[in-house]
Amino acid sequence: ALIVAHPGHELRILGWVEQTRPQVFILTDGSGHTSHGRLPGTARILDQLGASRGGVFGRFRDRDLYAALLDSQYDMFLNLAEELCDSLIASDIDYVVSDAVEGYNPSHDVCALLVHTAVGLVWRRTHRRIAHFDFLLVGPPEECPPDLRSKAIWRQLDNAGLDRKLSAAASIPELAYELQAALSRSGRESFRVECCRPARTL
């Protein structure tokens, strides 16, 4: 399964998505401070790749999720972790990939915490361990602690795979600025490597 905070995050590891066709959960609609989200573009890409949608798929507006954090609505997040746990059990998921904790955006960090809680709940209920991996959205995609490198899931895209990844990103108008900024900052090759690292115990 893939569980991320915002639509568009799947693009960071699109080669892995293309290969595994995971069940995808997305917390928000990616609307930011606007009324227009970017969920349709992500939904189209995932449908084209044959990935399925989880029960939580753009459920919250970004501003509502931030408000829940500021208002300390713990019950909402606990219920969400329970729901994710139920879905992981029902779908017999082997491992989950999520946003990493980077201290850049609270929604990204909360997503990682929710997944950590959900897989812990699965263990408590079923005594079945679900592996949890994460990937960087802000840091270099190949960054991985030395002790985790051999346990990480790596993909090195060929030229055709890299072209498909960049074309998918360019097909979502709401991400045009972010894509160009990333290309200007790090170059095309920065999108070639994908690394899903074993998530640290929090």
PDB file of all heavy atoms in Angstrom, residues 132-134 144 148-149 151-153 196-201:
ATOM      1  N   HIS A 132       7.129  -1.180   7.176  1.00  0.00           N
ATOM      2  CA  HIS A 132       6.844   0.218   6.883  1.00  0.00           C
ATOM      3  C   HIS A 132       8.094   0.855   6.283  1.00  0.00           C
ATOM      4  O   HIS A 132       9.161   0.853   6.904  1.00  0.00           O
ATOM      5  CB  HIS A 132       6.422   0.947   8.169  1.00  0.00           C
ATOM      6  CG  HIS A 132       6.140   2.398   7.994  1.00  0.00           C
ATOM      7  ND1 HIS A 132       6.054   3.280   9.049  1.00  0.00           N
ATOM      8  CD2 HIS A 132       5.912   3.150   6.872  1.00  0.00           C
ATOM      9  CE1 HIS A 132       5.791   4.484   8.606  1.00  0.00           C
ATOM     10  NE2 HIS A 132       5.707   4.438   7.288  1.00  0.00           N
ATOM     11  N   PHE A 133       7.953   1.357   5.078  1.00  0.00           N
ATOM     12  CA  PHE A 133       9.030   2.068   4.389  1.00  0.00           C
ATOM     13  C   PHE A 133       8.591   3.516   4.171  1.00  0.00           C
ATOM     14  O   PHE A 133       7.388   3.816   4.140  1.00  0.00           O
ATOM     15  CB  PHE A 133       9.326   1.423   3.033  1.00  0.00           C
ATOM     16  CG  PHE A 133       9.866   0.025   3.115  1.00  0.00           C
ATOM     17  CD1 PHE A 133       9.005  -1.056   3.287  1.00  0.00           C
ATOM     18  CD2 PHE A 133      11.224  -0.221   3.014  1.00  0.00           C
ATOM     19  CE1 PHE A 133       9.494  -2.346   3.366  1.00  0.00           C
ATOM     20  CE2 PHE A 133      11.724  -1.515   3.090  1.00  0.00           C
ATOM     21  CZ  PHE A 133      10.858  -2.577   3.269  1.00  0.00           C
ATOM     22  N   ASP A 134       9.562   4.407   4.013  1.00  0.00           N
ATOM     23  CA  ASP A 134       9.218   5.795   3.703  1.00  0.00           C
ATOM     24  C   ASP A 134      10.143   6.340   2.621  1.00  0.00           C
ATOM     25  O   ASP A 134      11.149   5.720   2.272  1.00  0.00           O
ATOM     26  CB  ASP A 134       9.247   6.672   4.964  1.00  0.00           C
ATOM     27  CG  ASP A 134      10.623   6.784   5.614  1.00  0.00           C
ATOM     28  OD1 ASP A 134      11.643   6.609   4.918  1.00  0.00           O
ATOM     29  OD2 ASP A 134      10.693   7.062   6.833  1.00  0.00           O
ATOM     30  N   CYS A 144      19.895   7.876   2.104  1.00  0.00           N
ATOM     31  CA  CYS A 144      19.501   6.730   2.926  1.00  0.00           C
ATOM     32  C   CYS A 144      20.621   6.449   3.919  1.00  0.00           C
ATOM     33  O   CYS A 144      21.785   6.354   3.522  1.00  0.00           O
ATOM     34  CB  CYS A 144      19.251   5.506   2.039  1.00  0.00           C
ATOM     35  SG  CYS A 144      18.654   4.046   2.936  1.00  0.00           S
ATOM     36  N   LEU A 148      20.753   1.348   6.601  1.00  0.00           N
ATOM     37  CA  LEU A 148      19.471   0.959   6.005  1.00  0.00           C
ATOM     38  C   LEU A 148      19.569   0.684   4.512  1.00  0.00           C
ATOM     39  O   LEU A 148      18.610   0.175   3.910  1.00  0.00           O
ATOM     40  CB  LEU A 148      18.428   2.054   6.238  1.00  0.00           C
ATOM     41  CG  LEU A 148      18.066   2.381   7.689  1.00  0.00           C
ATOM     42  CD1 LEU A 148      17.011   3.483   7.722  1.00  0.00           C
ATOM     43  CD2 LEU A 148      17.569   1.138   8.417  1.00  0.00           C
ATOM     44  N   ARG A 149      20.706   0.986   3.911  1.00  0.00           N
ATOM     45  CA  ARG A 149      20.808   0.931   2.450  1.00  0.00           C
ATOM     46  C   ARG A 149      20.539  -0.474   1.899  1.00  0.00           C
ATOM     47  O   ARG A 149      19.872  -0.632   0.874  1.00  0.00           O
ATOM     48  CB  ARG A 149      22.184   1.431   1.988  1.00  0.00           C
ATOM     49  CG  ARG A 149      22.424   2.900   2.290  1.00  0.00           C
ATOM     50  CD  ARG A 149      23.725   3.400   1.670  1.00  0.00           C
ATOM     51  NE  ARG A 149      23.638   3.501   0.231  1.00  0.00           N
ATOM     52  CZ  ARG A 149      23.135   4.543  -0.432  1.00  0.00           C
ATOM     53  NH1 ARG A 149      22.659   5.584   0.242  1.00  0.00           N
ATOM     54  NH2 ARG A 149      23.105   4.546  -1.738  1.00  0.00           N
ATOM     55  N   LYS A 151      18.649  -2.698   3.123  1.00  0.00           N
ATOM     56  CA  LYS A 151      17.272  -3.119   3.392  1.00  0.00           C
ATOM     57  C   LYS A 151      16.251  -2.263   2.654  1.00  0.00           C
ATOM     58  O   LYS A 151      15.053  -2.549   2.698  1.00  0.00           O
ATOM     59  CB  LYS A 151      16.993  -3.051   4.890  1.00  0.00           C
ATOM     60  CG  LYS A 151      17.932  -3.916   5.724  1.00  0.00           C
ATOM     61  CD  LYS A 151      17.725  -3.660   7.206  1.00  0.00           C
ATOM     62  CE  LYS A 151      18.741  -4.426   8.049  1.00  0.00           C
ATOM     63  NZ  LYS A 151      18.620  -4.126   9.492  1.00  0.00           N
ATOM     64  N   ALA A 152      16.719  -1.210   1.997  1.00  0.00           N
ATOM     65  CA  ALA A 152      15.816  -0.298   1.294  1.00  0.00           C
ATOM     66  C   ALA A 152      15.363  -0.904  -0.034  1.00  0.00           C
ATOM     67  O   ALA A 152      15.983  -1.826  -0.576  1.00  0.00           O
ATOM     68  CB  ALA A 152      16.502   1.041   1.048  1.00  0.00           C
ATOM     69  N   ILE A 153      14.250  -0.373  -0.553  1.00  0.00           N
ATOM     70  CA  ILE A 153      13.755  -0.750  -1.879  1.00  0.00           C
ATOM     71  C   ILE A 153      14.256   0.298  -2.863  1.00  0.00           C
ATOM     72  O   ILE A 153      13.897   1.479  -2.760  1.00  0.00           O
ATOM     73  CB  ILE A 153      12.218  -0.804  -1.891  1.00  0.00           C
ATOM     74  CG1 ILE A 153      11.705  -1.826  -0.872  1.00  0.00           C
ATOM     75  CG2 ILE A 153      11.704  -1.133  -3.297  1.00  0.00           C
ATOM     76  CD1 ILE A 153      10.206  -1.745  -0.648  1.00  0.00           C
ATOM     77  N   CYS A 196      12.897   3.681  -1.212  1.00  0.00           N
ATOM     78  CA  CYS A 196      11.955   3.529  -0.094  1.00  0.00           C
ATOM     79  C   CYS A 196      12.728   2.884   1.048  1.00  0.00           C
ATOM     80  O   CYS A 196      13.166   1.736   0.942  1.00  0.00           O
ATOM     81  CB  CYS A 196      10.760   2.669  -0.510  1.00  0.00           C
ATOM     82  SG  CYS A 196       9.795   3.316  -1.881  1.00  0.00           S
ATOM     83  N   ARG A 197      12.913   3.645   2.100  1.00  0.00           N
ATOM     84  CA  ARG A 197      13.773   3.226   3.208  1.00  0.00           C
ATOM     85  C   ARG A 197      12.965   2.603   4.325  1.00  0.00           C
ATOM     86  O   ARG A 197      11.825   3.033   4.571  1.00  0.00           O
ATOM     87  CB  ARG A 197      14.519   4.462   3.743  1.00  0.00           C
ATOM     88  CG  ARG A 197      15.035   5.399   2.653  1.00  0.00           C
ATOM     89  CD  ARG A 197      15.414   6.745   3.167  1.00  0.00           C
ATOM     90  NE  ARG A 197      14.413   7.329   4.045  1.00  0.00           N
ATOM     91  CZ  ARG A 197      14.622   8.401   4.808  1.00  0.00           C
ATOM     92  NH1 ARG A 197      15.806   8.997   4.767  1.00  0.00           N
ATOM     93  NH2 ARG A 197      13.677   8.867   5.583  1.00  0.00           N
ATOM     94  N   PRO A 198      13.502   1.613   5.025  1.00  0.00           N
ATOM     95  CA  PRO A 198      12.800   1.130   6.219  1.00  0.00           C
ATOM     96  C   PRO A 198      12.577   2.295   7.186  1.00  0.00           C
ATOM     97  O   PRO A 198      13.512   3.013   7.514  1.00  0.00           O
ATOM     98  CB  PRO A 198      13.766   0.102   6.811  1.00  0.00           C
ATOM     99  CG  PRO A 198      14.599  -0.349   5.652  1.00  0.00           C
ATOM    100  CD  PRO A 198      14.746   0.862   4.787  1.00  0.00           C
ATOM    101  N   ALA A 199      11.322   2.524   7.561  1.00  0.00           N
ATOM    102  CA  ALA A 199      11.006   3.652   8.435  1.00  0.00           C
ATOM    103  C   ALA A 199      11.563   3.387   9.829  1.00  0.00           C
ATOM    104  O   ALA A 199      11.461   2.278  10.363  1.00  0.00           O
ATOM    105  CB  ALA A 199       9.498   3.869   8.499  1.00  0.00           C
ATOM    106  N   ARG A 200      12.159   4.410  10.414  1.00  0.00           N
ATOM    107  CA  ARG A 200      12.686   4.297  11.750  1.00  0.00           C
ATOM    108  C   ARG A 200      11.545   4.161  12.761  1.00  0.00           C
ATOM    109  O   ARG A 200      10.475   4.737  12.588  1.00  0.00           O
ATOM    110  CB  ARG A 200      13.498   5.540  12.110  1.00  0.00           C
ATOM    111  CG  ARG A 200      14.741   5.749  11.244  1.00  0.00           C
ATOM    112  CD  ARG A 200      15.851   4.833  11.652  1.00  0.00           C
ATOM    113  NE  ARG A 200      17.136   5.273  11.105  1.00  0.00           N
ATOM    114  CZ  ARG A 200      18.271   4.592  11.229  1.00  0.00           C
ATOM    115  NH1 ARG A 200      18.260   3.434  11.883  1.00  0.00           N
ATOM    116  NH2 ARG A 200      19.389   5.052  10.713  1.00  0.00           N
ATOM    117  N   THR A 201      11.784   3.425  13.829  1.00  0.00           N
ATOM    118  CA  THR A 201      10.813   3.350  14.910  1.00  0.00           C
ATOM    119  C   THR A 201      10.729   4.698  15.575  1.00  0.00           C
ATOM    120  O   THR A 201      11.740   5.304  15.932  1.00  0.00           O
ATOM    121  CB  THR A 201      11.227   2.289  15.938  1.00  0.00           C
ATOM    122  OG1 THR A 201      11.316   1.030  15.284  1.00  0.00           O
ATOM    123  CG2 THR A 201      10.201   2.201  17.060  1.00  0.00           C
TER     124      THR A 201
END
